[in-house]
Amino acid sequence: MSSENPPQSPERAESPEQQRRKPRVAVVFGGRSSEHGISVVTAGAVMKAIDRTKYDVLPIGITTDGRWALTAGEPERMAITDRKVPDVAQLAESTEGSVVLSVDPGSREVLYSEPGSVPKALGEVDVVFPVLHGPYGEDGTLQGLLELSGVPYVGAGVLASAVGQDKEYMKRVFLSFGLPVGPYEVVRPREWDHDPSAVRERIVDFAGEHGWPLFIKPARGGSSMGITKVDGLEGLDAAIEEARRHDPKFLVESLLRGREIECGVLEFEDGPRASVPAEIPPVTAHEFYDFEAKYIDSAAGLVPAPLTEEQTAEVQRLAVAAFDATSCEGLVRADFFLTEDGTFVINEINTLPGFTPISMYPRMWQESGVSYPELVDRLIQAALTRSTGLR
């Protein structure tokens, strides 16, 4: 028998103590992906912005080997220093202690345990602010755990997170909704392992149709890590090896000549809205807008982008359409190319865009009238009012 209202997570009656205390926000960061360090930087900026008069904050770092560690909540230790990104291991209060989140949806208790000691209760968590970038965090894996635990969280759900992480399926979804996507090829692990010569031939054919240079990139990566611009056959194998160092599945994309435009989407009470767009100008010291340009050399974007009113309205429309197409929640940064013929082509979305002080997403919303602290608060409040489960 069907029901118009699908089952949701069980309601949890709040005790008088819960009603009196401030909501507790667990900021979860670090993780096992190659974007570990940038996640730590992002978490530092988010924790610095959270209003401690409204919320209690529990910082939980995930080490590169997957241990959930109780960490110091010291944002000043979580910044890029001497061109080096920080690490959770530097912040952990213990080299062995671990944090455990209950998977019982009737309890949001967090425990801390060390070998040979009785586990210690850290209290309940009301909402998780995940600032994990890349696989094992941004890709739906953490979101699935939080759904099992019945703990609300900031940002996209399981499906949207998974689609937003995998560039192949992201592009397939965009195409199915009629959004403009540039030419690309996907190479799966089995194809490369079984017959690399056939893969090279396929890439050469792709270049013959669309021209060199090509971009070789991990299918499920971010922060521009593992991406190589290839001008011909000579550098192809090295580029593939670099991409596969981050992900055994990789993409081949043609160069789209034009301007790089970004647009933020934020969910309000009446639905998603788009920010003013930004433009990433050409970076002369780098081949493209890569990791070094983004985070180490702090390449500056133009906010707002110098676009016509019509172009601004169009990129905002497409950004919200991408948000809806992938069933996103909370926030998204949508990245586009404005090609030489005046057409916008969507490159990708980020369901957990960077929140570092120089990141484009908060800068675009700042220019749109939403300050950084207000942005963080809005995301937390939206998560607190959203149930887990089918919705």
Side-chain angles (χ1 to χ4, degrees):
M1 180 181 295
S2 63
S3 171
E4 292 184 2
N5 298 310
Q8 302 293 321
S9 300
E11 293 293 326
R12 303 173 67 257
E14 290 191 341
S15 67
E17 179 186 354
Q18 289 173 315
Q19 293 172 356
R20 285 194 302 269
R21 68 171 174 81
K22 294 180 288 187
R24 176 172 289 147
V25 182
V27 179
V28 181
F29 60 95
R32 293 161 55 192
S33 83
S34 56
E35 297 176 81
H36 177 99
I38 288 304
S39 173
V40 178
V41 176
T42 298
V46 168
M47 285 195 288
K48 190 174 181 179
I50 292 177
D51 184 351
R52 302 305 175 97
T53 66
K54 289 181 64 174
Y55 307 104
D56 286 328
V57 176
L58 179 65
I60 299 174
I62 302 178
T63 63
T64 53
D65 60 2
R67 179 173 65 93
W68 288 44
L70 193 62
T71 69
E74 302 173 6
E76 63 275 7
R77 294 174 56 196
M78 303 168 73
I80 295 173
T81 306
D82 296 328
R83 302 178 70 87
K84 295 180 180 178
V85 292
D87 189 282
V88 166
Q90 302 166 356
L91 304 165
E93 295 189 351
S94 166
T95 58
E96 295 183 308
S98 61
V99 174
V100 178
L101 179 67
S102 171
V103 293
D104 177 1
S107 170
R108 296 176 184 170
E109 192 78 28
V110 176
L111 299 177
Y112 178 74
S113 63
E114 290 188 340
S117 300
V118 176
K120 179 175 65 174
L122 299 178
E124 290 197 339
V125 164
D126 297 291
V127 63
V128 169
F129 200 130
V131 287
L132 293 138
H133 300 304
Y136 314 110
E138 190 181 353
D139 59 350
T141 49
L142 176 65
Q143 290 75 12
L145 172 64
L146 296 174
E147 292 285 351
L148 287 173
S149 302
V151 180
Y153 53 93
V154 169
V158 175
L159 175 66
S161 296
V163 171
Q165 186 65 40
D166 192 312
K167 294 177 176 61
E168 174 193 358
Y169 290 98
M170 181 198 307
K171 291 176 186 292
R172 291 183 183 276
V173 169
F174 289 159
L175 285 168
S176 72
F177 277 81
L179 296 172
V181 171
Y184 72 98
E185 284 280 336
V186 179
V187 180
R188 294 183 170 82
R190 186 170 56 189
E191 295 175 306
W192 179 255
D193 293 337
H194 176 68
D195 194 347
S197 295
V199 171
R200 288 190 201 94
E201 185 177 342
R202 209 168 97 210
I203 294 173
V204 169
D205 289 343
F206 180 82
E209 181 178 358
H210 301 288
W212 299 93
L214 302 177
F215 288 92
I216 311 297
K217 59 174 63 176
R220 293 161 291 195
S223 294
S224 298
M225 286 184 150
I227 301 177
T228 306
K229 182 182 177 183
V230 180
D231 294 310
L233 274 175
E234 184 177 337
L236 183 58
D237 279 9
I240 292 172
E241 181 179 345
E242 172 61 14
R244 282 171 54 83
R245 193 167 65 84
H246 297 267
D247 187 348
K249 181 168 79 167
F250 64 92
L251 264 65
V252 181
E253 294 180 351
S254 64
L255 172 67
L256 292 176
R257 301 186 186 279
R259 300 160 61 187
E260 292 189 50
I261 306 295
E262 298 183 348
C263 190
V265 179
L266 180 63
E267 194 167 16
F268 288 76
E269 291 78 8
D270 60 350
R273 302 181 197 169
S275 70
V276 299
E279 179 170 4
I280 307 301
V283 282
T284 55
H286 301 265
E287 281 286 307
F288 58 97
Y289 193 46
D290 60 5
F291 177 84
E292 291 272 326
K294 283 182 179 179
Y295 297 109
I296 304 300
D297 293 336
S298 306
L302 304 175
V303 187
L307 300 171
T308 66
E309 288 185 13
E310 292 77 11
Q311 288 172 329
T312 296
E314 175 64 3
V315 76
Q316 290 174 327
R317 182 190 71 80
L318 289 170
V320 172
F323 182 96
D324 288 335
T326 46
S327 298
C328 282
E329 294 168 292
L331 71 163
V332 147
R333 193 194 74 228
D335 301 344
F336 298 86
F337 290 103
L338 177 55
T339 61
E340 292 175 339
D341 66 0
T343 302
F344 281 105
V345 175
I346 187 164
N347 183 35
E348 63 181 43
I349 59 168
N350 281 268
T351 56
L352 189 62
F355 264 81
T356 67
I358 62 170
S359 295
M360 298 306 297
Y361 185 84
R363 287 184 59 197
M364 287 187 287
W365 279 108
Q366 175 78 41
E367 189 68 24
S368 303
V370 181
S371 69
Y372 192 104
E374 184 183 353
L375 178 62
V376 170
D377 185 71
R378 177 171 286 279
L379 290 169
I380 293 172
Q381 285 297 317
L384 283 168
T385 58
R386 189 168 60 230
S387 66
T388 55
L390 301 178
R391 54 189 184 274

